[in-house]
Amino acid sequence: MTPRFPSSRTMRPLAAAVFCGAVLLGALSSAQAAVNPPIYMAHGVEYMSGGIGSDEAQLMETVSPRWPATFEFAVKDSKGADFAANVHVTVRDSSGVALLDNVVSGGPFMVARLDPGNYEVEARIGSQVLKQPLHVLQGAPTKATFVWPAGTDMASASTRTVQ
């Protein structure tokens, strides 16, 4: 007599294969949703920028504590502020040497692996330039926020509303 339902011995390999396939599919879906923006290097300093879209913005906020320096860019408007991208960034060390020289941020966040020390950071949208000092300590990430006033020429920058 042939059993009506497969035995548990014949179902185990099938169940294992289905489970492995589901895990692999889930891993691939998660990996695709959380892909890091590319890491670049200038004058021996690694940097990464991004944050366009909520998934990438969340990713940048998650990784920023692992980088010595984080920069955030926004433009004020009547509703609050818009995140800004395509910001030209220059970072100079205490001797005035440009370590990041006019690199373009691909989103409202940029992180950089700067050695401990004092820096001057210049961020530019169009002809509007903001500068601020930055002090990086060993093992303590630091953040600089650049907010341009309402009316800043955003012709060369893309924006996303701050939530």
Side-chain angles (χ1 to χ4, degrees), residues 39-68:
I39 296 175
Y40 299 100
M41 185 173 289
H43 303 288
V45 176
E46 288 182 321
Y47 68 96
M48 176 173 66
S49 65
I52 300 295
S54 60
D55 288 344
E56 194 173 284
Q58 183 176 6
L59 175 81
M60 292 297 292
E61 288 176 351
T62 300
V63 302
S64 70
R66 295 181 217 140
W67 290 74

PDB file of all heavy atoms in Angstrom, residues 39-68:
ATOM      1  N   ILE A  39      32.888  54.358  -1.745  1.00  0.00           N
ATOM      2  CA  ILE A  39      33.886  55.052  -0.937  1.00  0.00           C
ATOM      3  C   ILE A  39      34.969  55.545  -1.889  1.00  0.00           C
ATOM      4  O   ILE A  39      35.481  54.795  -2.707  1.00  0.00           O
ATOM      5  CB  ILE A  39      34.479  54.126   0.136  1.00  0.00           C
ATOM      6  CG1 ILE A  39      33.387  53.724   1.122  1.00  0.00           C
ATOM      7  CG2 ILE A  39      35.642  54.812   0.861  1.00  0.00           C
ATOM      8  CD1 ILE A  39      33.818  52.708   2.160  1.00  0.00           C
ATOM      9  N   TYR A  40      35.293  56.832  -1.779  1.00  0.00           N
ATOM     10  CA  TYR A  40      36.312  57.454  -2.612  1.00  0.00           C
ATOM     11  C   TYR A  40      37.522  57.800  -1.756  1.00  0.00           C
ATOM     12  O   TYR A  40      37.447  57.784  -0.526  1.00  0.00           O
ATOM     13  CB  TYR A  40      35.773  58.737  -3.259  1.00  0.00           C
ATOM     14  CG  TYR A  40      34.593  58.507  -4.165  1.00  0.00           C
ATOM     15  CD1 TYR A  40      33.295  58.762  -3.728  1.00  0.00           C
ATOM     16  CD2 TYR A  40      34.769  58.031  -5.454  1.00  0.00           C
ATOM     17  CE1 TYR A  40      32.210  58.546  -4.558  1.00  0.00           C
ATOM     18  CE2 TYR A  40      33.692  57.817  -6.296  1.00  0.00           C
ATOM     19  CZ  TYR A  40      32.415  58.071  -5.837  1.00  0.00           C
ATOM     20  OH  TYR A  40      31.337  57.860  -6.665  1.00  0.00           O
ATOM     21  N   MET A  41      38.626  58.149  -2.407  1.00  0.00           N
ATOM     22  CA  MET A  41      39.811  58.566  -1.688  1.00  0.00           C
ATOM     23  C   MET A  41      40.419  59.778  -2.385  1.00  0.00           C
ATOM     24  O   MET A  41      40.504  59.819  -3.605  1.00  0.00           O
ATOM     25  CB  MET A  41      40.838  57.450  -1.608  1.00  0.00           C
ATOM     26  CG  MET A  41      42.033  57.836  -0.742  1.00  0.00           C
ATOM     27  SD  MET A  41      43.186  56.500  -0.442  1.00  0.00           S
ATOM     28  CE  MET A  41      42.248  55.468   0.653  1.00  0.00           C
ATOM     29  N   ALA A  42      40.825  60.762  -1.569  1.00  0.00           N
ATOM     30  CA  ALA A  42      41.521  61.942  -2.069  1.00  0.00           C
ATOM     31  C   ALA A  42      42.639  62.265  -1.084  1.00  0.00           C
ATOM     32  O   ALA A  42      42.385  62.384   0.115  1.00  0.00           O
ATOM     33  CB  ALA A  42      40.560  63.121  -2.180  1.00  0.00           C
ATOM     34  N   HIS A  43      43.860  62.359  -1.591  1.00  0.00           N
ATOM     35  CA  HIS A  43      45.024  62.691  -0.760  1.00  0.00           C
ATOM     36  C   HIS A  43      45.123  61.794   0.471  1.00  0.00           C
ATOM     37  O   HIS A  43      45.434  62.259   1.565  1.00  0.00           O
ATOM     38  CB  HIS A  43      45.006  64.167  -0.354  1.00  0.00           C
ATOM     39  CG  HIS A  43      44.959  65.097  -1.510  1.00  0.00           C
ATOM     40  ND1 HIS A  43      46.036  65.315  -2.343  1.00  0.00           N
ATOM     41  CD2 HIS A  43      43.948  65.862  -2.006  1.00  0.00           C
ATOM     42  CE1 HIS A  43      45.693  66.171  -3.284  1.00  0.00           C
ATOM     43  NE2 HIS A  43      44.438  66.503  -3.109  1.00  0.00           N
ATOM     44  N   GLY A  44      44.796  60.507   0.296  1.00  0.00           N
ATOM     45  CA  GLY A  44      44.896  59.545   1.391  1.00  0.00           C
ATOM     46  C   GLY A  44      43.732  59.557   2.364  1.00  0.00           C
ATOM     47  O   GLY A  44      43.762  58.859   3.371  1.00  0.00           O
ATOM     48  N   VAL A  45      42.688  60.332   2.095  1.00  0.00           N
ATOM     49  CA  VAL A  45      41.524  60.412   2.980  1.00  0.00           C
ATOM     50  C   VAL A  45      40.335  59.737   2.300  1.00  0.00           C
ATOM     51  O   VAL A  45      39.932  60.137   1.200  1.00  0.00           O
ATOM     52  CB  VAL A  45      41.163  61.882   3.314  1.00  0.00           C
ATOM     53  CG1 VAL A  45      39.892  61.952   4.145  1.00  0.00           C
ATOM     54  CG2 VAL A  45      42.321  62.556   4.024  1.00  0.00           C
ATOM     55  N   GLU A  46      39.785  58.714   2.965  1.00  0.00           N
ATOM     56  CA  GLU A  46      38.579  58.059   2.450  1.00  0.00           C
ATOM     57  C   GLU A  46      37.364  58.912   2.801  1.00  0.00           C
ATOM     58  O   GLU A  46      37.298  59.485   3.884  1.00  0.00           O
ATOM     59  CB  GLU A  46      38.399  56.685   3.081  1.00  0.00           C
ATOM     60  CG  GLU A  46      39.370  55.644   2.609  1.00  0.00           C
ATOM     61  CD  GLU A  46      39.090  54.302   3.251  1.00  0.00           C
ATOM     62  OE1 GLU A  46      38.751  54.239   4.451  1.00  0.00           O
ATOM     63  OE2 GLU A  46      39.216  53.297   2.541  1.00  0.00           O
ATOM     64  N   TYR A  47      36.408  58.952   1.869  1.00  0.00           N
ATOM     65  CA  TYR A  47      35.148  59.639   2.152  1.00  0.00           C
ATOM     66  C   TYR A  47      34.020  58.968   1.380  1.00  0.00           C
ATOM     67  O   TYR A  47      34.241  58.279   0.385  1.00  0.00           O
ATOM     68  CB  TYR A  47      35.227  61.138   1.830  1.00  0.00           C
ATOM     69  CG  TYR A  47      35.349  61.467   0.368  1.00  0.00           C
ATOM     70  CD1 TYR A  47      34.219  61.785  -0.387  1.00  0.00           C
ATOM     71  CD2 TYR A  47      36.580  61.457  -0.277  1.00  0.00           C
ATOM     72  CE1 TYR A  47      34.331  62.096  -1.743  1.00  0.00           C
ATOM     73  CE2 TYR A  47      36.699  61.767  -1.623  1.00  0.00           C
ATOM     74  CZ  TYR A  47      35.575  62.087  -2.350  1.00  0.00           C
ATOM     75  OH  TYR A  47      35.681  62.379  -3.678  1.00  0.00           O
ATOM     76  N   MET A  48      32.811  59.149   1.882  1.00  0.00           N
ATOM     77  CA  MET A  48      31.620  58.583   1.262  1.00  0.00           C
ATOM     78  C   MET A  48      30.513  59.613   1.437  1.00  0.00           C
ATOM     79  O   MET A  48      30.434  60.283   2.469  1.00  0.00           O
ATOM     80  CB  MET A  48      31.250  57.273   1.958  1.00  0.00           C
ATOM     81  CG  MET A  48      29.984  56.628   1.465  1.00  0.00           C
ATOM     82  SD  MET A  48      29.683  54.971   2.174  1.00  0.00           S
ATOM     83  CE  MET A  48      29.410  55.327   3.889  1.00  0.00           C
ATOM     84  N   SER A  49      29.669  59.749   0.421  1.00  0.00           N
ATOM     85  CA  SER A  49      28.542  60.672   0.542  1.00  0.00           C
ATOM     86  C   SER A  49      27.292  60.033  -0.020  1.00  0.00           C
ATOM     87  O   SER A  49      27.353  59.122  -0.848  1.00  0.00           O
ATOM     88  CB  SER A  49      28.854  61.984  -0.182  1.00  0.00           C
ATOM     89  OG  SER A  49      28.978  61.768  -1.566  1.00  0.00           O
ATOM     90  N   GLY A  50      26.170  60.508   0.453  1.00  0.00           N
ATOM     91  CA  GLY A  50      24.900  59.973  -0.012  1.00  0.00           C
ATOM     92  C   GLY A  50      23.774  60.463   0.874  1.00  0.00           C
ATOM     93  O   GLY A  50      23.901  61.456   1.582  1.00  0.00           O
ATOM     94  N   GLY A  51      22.698  59.714   0.856  1.00  0.00           N
ATOM     95  CA  GLY A  51      21.542  60.061   1.670  1.00  0.00           C
ATOM     96  C   GLY A  51      20.341  60.484   0.858  1.00  0.00           C
ATOM     97  O   GLY A  51      19.373  61.005   1.402  1.00  0.00           O
ATOM     98  N   ILE A  52      20.401  60.251  -0.464  1.00  0.00           N
ATOM     99  CA  ILE A  52      19.235  60.540  -1.304  1.00  0.00           C
ATOM    100  C   ILE A  52      18.255  59.382  -1.110  1.00  0.00           C
ATOM    101  O   ILE A  52      18.600  58.234  -1.313  1.00  0.00           O
ATOM    102  CB  ILE A  52      19.626  60.665  -2.790  1.00  0.00           C
ATOM    103  CG1 ILE A  52      20.635  61.786  -2.998  1.00  0.00           C
ATOM    104  CG2 ILE A  52      18.393  60.868  -3.664  1.00  0.00           C
ATOM    105  CD1 ILE A  52      20.121  63.178  -2.701  1.00  0.00           C
ATOM    106  N   GLY A  53      17.058  59.680  -0.711  1.00  0.00           N
ATOM    107  CA  GLY A  53      16.063  58.651  -0.416  1.00  0.00           C
ATOM    108  C   GLY A  53      16.159  58.220   1.038  1.00  0.00           C
ATOM    109  O   GLY A  53      17.214  58.289   1.657  1.00  0.00           O
ATOM    110  N   SER A  54      15.043  57.783   1.601  1.00  0.00           N
ATOM    111  CA  SER A  54      15.003  57.476   3.029  1.00  0.00           C
ATOM    112  C   SER A  54      15.884  56.289   3.409  1.00  0.00           C
ATOM    113  O   SER A  54      16.510  56.311   4.470  1.00  0.00           O
ATOM    114  CB  SER A  54      13.561  57.250   3.487  1.00  0.00           C
ATOM    115  OG  SER A  54      12.991  56.164   2.787  1.00  0.00           O
ATOM    116  N   ASP A  55      15.970  55.247   2.561  1.00  0.00           N
ATOM    117  CA  ASP A  55      16.812  54.090   2.884  1.00  0.00           C
ATOM    118  C   ASP A  55      18.287  54.483   2.947  1.00  0.00           C
ATOM    119  O   ASP A  55      19.002  54.112   3.873  1.00  0.00           O
ATOM    120  CB  ASP A  55      16.634  52.961   1.864  1.00  0.00           C
ATOM    121  CG  ASP A  55      15.302  52.256   1.991  1.00  0.00           C
ATOM    122  OD1 ASP A  55      14.634  52.417   3.042  1.00  0.00           O
ATOM    123  OD2 ASP A  55      14.916  51.543   1.045  1.00  0.00           O
ATOM    124  N   GLU A  56      18.737  55.250   1.958  1.00  0.00           N
ATOM    125  CA  GLU A  56      20.140  55.651   1.937  1.00  0.00           C
ATOM    126  C   GLU A  56      20.439  56.653   3.052  1.00  0.00           C
ATOM    127  O   GLU A  56      21.511  56.618   3.644  1.00  0.00           O
ATOM    128  CB  GLU A  56      20.507  56.237   0.576  1.00  0.00           C
ATOM    129  CG  GLU A  56      22.008  56.366   0.385  1.00  0.00           C
ATOM    130  CD  GLU A  56      22.385  56.790  -1.018  1.00  0.00           C
ATOM    131  OE1 GLU A  56      22.331  55.934  -1.926  1.00  0.00           O
ATOM    132  OE2 GLU A  56      22.717  57.971  -1.203  1.00  0.00           O
ATOM    133  N   ALA A  57      19.491  57.541   3.358  1.00  0.00           N
ATOM    134  CA  ALA A  57      19.688  58.488   4.461  1.00  0.00           C
ATOM    135  C   ALA A  57      19.823  57.735   5.775  1.00  0.00           C
ATOM    136  O   ALA A  57      20.701  58.039   6.595  1.00  0.00           O
ATOM    137  CB  ALA A  57      18.534  59.477   4.526  1.00  0.00           C
ATOM    138  N   GLN A  58      18.989  56.733   5.971  1.00  0.00           N
ATOM    139  CA  GLN A  58      19.065  55.926   7.196  1.00  0.00           C
ATOM    140  C   GLN A  58      20.393  55.176   7.251  1.00  0.00           C
ATOM    141  O   GLN A  58      21.026  55.102   8.298  1.00  0.00           O
ATOM    142  CB  GLN A  58      17.893  54.950   7.260  1.00  0.00           C
ATOM    143  CG  GLN A  58      17.876  54.148   8.550  1.00  0.00           C
ATOM    144  CD  GLN A  58      16.653  53.253   8.652  1.00  0.00           C
ATOM    145  OE1 GLN A  58      15.862  53.134   7.716  1.00  0.00           O
ATOM    146  NE2 GLN A  58      16.495  52.616   9.784  1.00  0.00           N
ATOM    147  N   LEU A  59      20.844  54.654   6.132  1.00  0.00           N
ATOM    148  CA  LEU A  59      22.128  53.962   6.080  1.00  0.00           C
ATOM    149  C   LEU A  59      23.270  54.908   6.450  1.00  0.00           C
ATOM    150  O   LEU A  59      24.128  54.576   7.264  1.00  0.00           O
ATOM    151  CB  LEU A  59      22.372  53.381   4.683  1.00  0.00           C
ATOM    152  CG  LEU A  59      23.741  52.742   4.512  1.00  0.00           C
ATOM    153  CD1 LEU A  59      23.744  51.339   5.075  1.00  0.00           C
ATOM    154  CD2 LEU A  59      24.154  52.743   3.074  1.00  0.00           C
ATOM    155  N   MET A  60      23.267  56.115   5.888  1.00  0.00           N
ATOM    156  CA  MET A  60      24.328  57.083   6.188  1.00  0.00           C
ATOM    157  C   MET A  60      24.311  57.461   7.669  1.00  0.00           C
ATOM    158  O   MET A  60      25.364  57.601   8.286  1.00  0.00           O
ATOM    159  CB  MET A  60      24.198  58.322   5.307  1.00  0.00           C
ATOM    160  CG  MET A  60      24.479  58.089   3.827  1.00  0.00           C
ATOM    161  SD  MET A  60      26.156  57.551   3.455  1.00  0.00           S
ATOM    162  CE  MET A  60      27.098  59.020   3.860  1.00  0.00           C
ATOM    163  N   GLU A  61      23.137  57.627   8.242  1.00  0.00           N
ATOM    164  CA  GLU A  61      23.043  57.944   9.669  1.00  0.00           C
ATOM    165  C   GLU A  61      23.517  56.776  10.524  1.00  0.00           C
ATOM    166  O   GLU A  61      24.116  56.977  11.577  1.00  0.00           O
ATOM    167  CB  GLU A  61      21.616  58.346  10.029  1.00  0.00           C
ATOM    168  CG  GLU A  61      21.247  59.712   9.476  1.00  0.00           C
ATOM    169  CD  GLU A  61      19.809  60.123   9.733  1.00  0.00           C
ATOM    170  OE1 GLU A  61      18.996  59.287  10.197  1.00  0.00           O
ATOM    171  OE2 GLU A  61      19.484  61.287   9.467  1.00  0.00           O
ATOM    172  N   THR A  62      23.302  55.558  10.054  1.00  0.00           N
ATOM    173  CA  THR A  62      23.744  54.372  10.788  1.00  0.00           C
ATOM    174  C   THR A  62      25.259  54.228  10.763  1.00  0.00           C
ATOM    175  O   THR A  62      25.869  53.897  11.776  1.00  0.00           O
ATOM    176  CB  THR A  62      23.083  53.099  10.201  1.00  0.00           C
ATOM    177  OG1 THR A  62      21.664  53.221  10.313  1.00  0.00           O
ATOM    178  CG2 THR A  62      23.549  51.854  10.929  1.00  0.00           C
ATOM    179  N   VAL A  63      25.887  54.489   9.626  1.00  0.00           N
ATOM    180  CA  VAL A  63      27.339  54.294   9.520  1.00  0.00           C
ATOM    181  C   VAL A  63      28.144  55.482  10.036  1.00  0.00           C
ATOM    182  O   VAL A  63      29.324  55.344  10.336  1.00  0.00           O
ATOM    183  CB  VAL A  63      27.794  53.947   8.076  1.00  0.00           C
ATOM    184  CG1 VAL A  63      27.094  52.697   7.577  1.00  0.00           C
ATOM    185  CG2 VAL A  63      27.614  55.112   7.124  1.00  0.00           C
ATOM    186  N   SER A  64      27.526  56.653  10.153  1.00  0.00           N
ATOM    187  CA  SER A  64      28.294  57.851  10.507  1.00  0.00           C
ATOM    188  C   SER A  64      29.051  57.744  11.833  1.00  0.00           C
ATOM    189  O   SER A  64      30.162  58.270  11.917  1.00  0.00           O
ATOM    190  CB  SER A  64      27.418  59.102  10.467  1.00  0.00           C
ATOM    191  OG  SER A  64      26.491  59.104  11.511  1.00  0.00           O
ATOM    192  N   PRO A  65      28.552  57.063  12.869  1.00  0.00           N
ATOM    193  CA  PRO A  65      29.353  56.968  14.101  1.00  0.00           C
ATOM    194  C   PRO A  65      30.660  56.179  13.932  1.00  0.00           C
ATOM    195  O   PRO A  65      31.551  56.282  14.766  1.00  0.00           O
ATOM    196  CB  PRO A  65      28.428  56.256  15.094  1.00  0.00           C
ATOM    197  CG  PRO A  65      27.057  56.477  14.569  1.00  0.00           C
ATOM    198  CD  PRO A  65      27.201  56.537  13.072  1.00  0.00           C
ATOM    199  N   ARG A  66      30.777  55.426  12.844  1.00  0.00           N
ATOM    200  CA  ARG A  66      32.001  54.651  12.597  1.00  0.00           C
ATOM    201  C   ARG A  66      33.040  55.440  11.813  1.00  0.00           C
ATOM    202  O   ARG A  66      34.115  54.938  11.534  1.00  0.00           O
ATOM    203  CB  ARG A  66      31.648  53.365  11.851  1.00  0.00           C
ATOM    204  CG  ARG A  66      30.784  52.442  12.689  1.00  0.00           C
ATOM    205  CD  ARG A  66      30.458  51.166  11.956  1.00  0.00           C
ATOM    206  NE  ARG A  66      29.087  50.832  12.312  1.00  0.00           N
ATOM    207  CZ  ARG A  66      28.197  50.364  11.489  1.00  0.00           C
ATOM    208  NH1 ARG A  66      28.497  50.137  10.246  1.00  0.00           N
ATOM    209  NH2 ARG A  66      26.986  50.092  11.891  1.00  0.00           N
ATOM    210  N   TRP A  67      32.716  56.654  11.432  1.00  0.00           N
ATOM    211  CA  TRP A  67      33.634  57.528  10.702  1.00  0.00           C
ATOM    212  C   TRP A  67      33.998  58.690  11.619  1.00  0.00           C
ATOM    213  O   TRP A  67      33.140  59.212  12.335  1.00  0.00           O
ATOM    214  CB  TRP A  67      32.953  58.058   9.438  1.00  0.00           C
ATOM    215  CG  TRP A  67      32.720  57.030   8.378  1.00  0.00           C
ATOM    216  CD1 TRP A  67      31.778  56.043   8.386  1.00  0.00           C
ATOM    217  CD2 TRP A  67      33.431  56.881   7.158  1.00  0.00           C
ATOM    218  NE1 TRP A  67      31.857  55.301   7.233  1.00  0.00           N
ATOM    219  CE2 TRP A  67      32.874  55.799   6.459  1.00  0.00           C
ATOM    220  CE3 TRP A  67      34.475  57.577   6.574  1.00  0.00           C
ATOM    221  CZ2 TRP A  67      33.326  55.385   5.223  1.00  0.00           C
ATOM    222  CZ3 TRP A  67      34.932  57.170   5.328  1.00  0.00           C
ATOM    223  CH2 TRP A  67      34.361  56.083   4.666  1.00  0.00           C
ATOM    224  N   PRO A  68      35.242  59.156  11.590  1.00  0.00           N
ATOM    225  CA  PRO A  68      35.654  60.252  12.475  1.00  0.00           C
ATOM    226  C   PRO A  68      34.915  61.570  12.236  1.00  0.00           C
ATOM    227  O   PRO A  68      34.710  62.334  13.167  1.00  0.00           O
ATOM    228  CB  PRO A  68      37.142  60.418  12.182  1.00  0.00           C
ATOM    229  CG  PRO A  68      37.575  59.099  11.638  1.00  0.00           C
ATOM    230  CD  PRO A  68      36.383  58.565  10.891  1.00  0.00           C
TER     231      PRO A  68
END
